[in-house]
Amino acid sequence: MTTGNVTVLPHAQNVRIQGGIVAGRDVTIESHVRQVQIPGGIHAQGKIEFKSHVQHGDFGSLVSKGDIVLDAHVSSINVHGSMSSNGKIVLGSHVKDLVVFGPILGGSHIEFNSQVENVVVHGSVVSHDGNVEVSSHVQNVTVHGYLVAGLNGRVMMAGHSGRFVVANAVVGRLVEWGPHVQAITVGGIAGDRITVGVFGVINVHDSQSHPEGGPGSEADLVLEFWEVP
């Protein structure tokens, strides 16, 4: 426990901190750190940041009064609790193989940047007071709960993303999917305005009759938007 910053230096390997980290300011796992285990989790009054190419990490909950940022090319990270932030939660481009065994809870925006792949969230993804933004070419994401934007927030998924499953409803004031989204399966959609770009296909299941989210069964409703001649 410290009242200041905590930093794991670049290129460190086989780091294990049994009791967890409690920091009065920021916690930074610097770039190219590998094989880091912090089963007690990280609690920071400031920001939690994993710099680029951090690999093979196992953590308890990540809890921050600031932002939680996983920079580009972070991979093979298991969070055995929640990711909870009073600020933004950002998954940088090319983040791969992230498993969160609880919810992802953001005070502000939650961002999945381009080419994020292979993400499993065993709880819900909820922004308290912001948007949930999914950039282009995001693939293989499974959310076992809800996907919820904050009050007056938007859920936005850019074009060419696919294989994105939300077991329960996607909820936002505006819910927007870009063009060419494919293999999108959700348990329901709630919003004042719902838009799907050209060549987008959204499979909507009744989560009451398909409590698993329905990826293996026929959709109750398929939204298909093809180019207007």
Side-chain angles (χ1 to χ4, degrees), residues 23-188:
R25 295 181 67 183
D26 299 340
V27 176
T28 304
I29 311 294
E30 290 284 2
S31 60
H32 297 277
V33 171
R34 300 187 65 186
Q35 304 289 353
V36 55
Q37 295 180 313
I38 307 178
I42 299 174
H43 293 70
Q45 294 294 314
K47 180 166 73 171
I48 297 174
E49 184 170 10
F50 293 10
K51 297 285 192 177
S52 64
H53 296 90
V54 171
Q55 295 182 340
H56 302 292
D58 279 279
F59 302 88
S61 291
L62 303 180
V63 180
S64 171
K65 291 287 181 68
D67 299 338
I68 298 177
V69 179
L70 275 57
D71 286 345
H73 297 280
V74 169
S75 64
S76 301
I77 302 296
N78 295 321
V79 179
H80 295 276
S82 64
M83 290 179 66
S84 178
S85 164
N86 285 5
K88 293 192 299 184
I89 295 179
V90 179
L91 304 185
S93 60
H94 299 275
V95 167
K96 292 180 67 174
D97 303 322
L98 169 68
V99 180
V100 181
F101 287 90
I104 294 179
L105 306 172
S108 180
H109 300 317
I110 298 174
E111 302 174 12
F112 293 69
N113 283 314
S114 63
Q115 300 185 64
V116 168
E117 293 185 30
N118 304 334
V119 176
V120 178
V121 182
H122 288 276
S124 295
V125 175
V126 180
S127 167
H128 179 70
D129 193 23
N131 301 328
V132 179
E133 302 175 5
V134 179
S135 296
S136 63
H137 298 91
V138 171
Q139 300 284 332
N140 291 329
V141 176
T142 301
V143 177
H144 287 279
Y146 291 82
L147 186 70
V148 182
L151 184 66
N152 294 321
R154 298 188 296 174
V155 176
M156 299 179 290
M157 183 180 295
H160 299 276
S161 290
R163 298 192 294 278
F164 200 111
V165 176
V166 180
N168 293 307
V170 175
V171 181
R173 185 175 63 85
L174 304 176
V175 179
E176 305 172 2
W177 281 280
H180 297 275
V181 291
Q182 298 290 326
I184 309 296
T185 302
V186 300

Side-chain angles (χ1 to χ4, degrees), residues 146 167-169 186-188 204-214 217 220:
Y146 291 82
N168 293 307
V186 300
V204 184
H205 292 258
D206 179 357
S207 56
Q208 298 295 317
S209 58
H210 304 293
E212 77 288 355
S217 55
D220 299 293

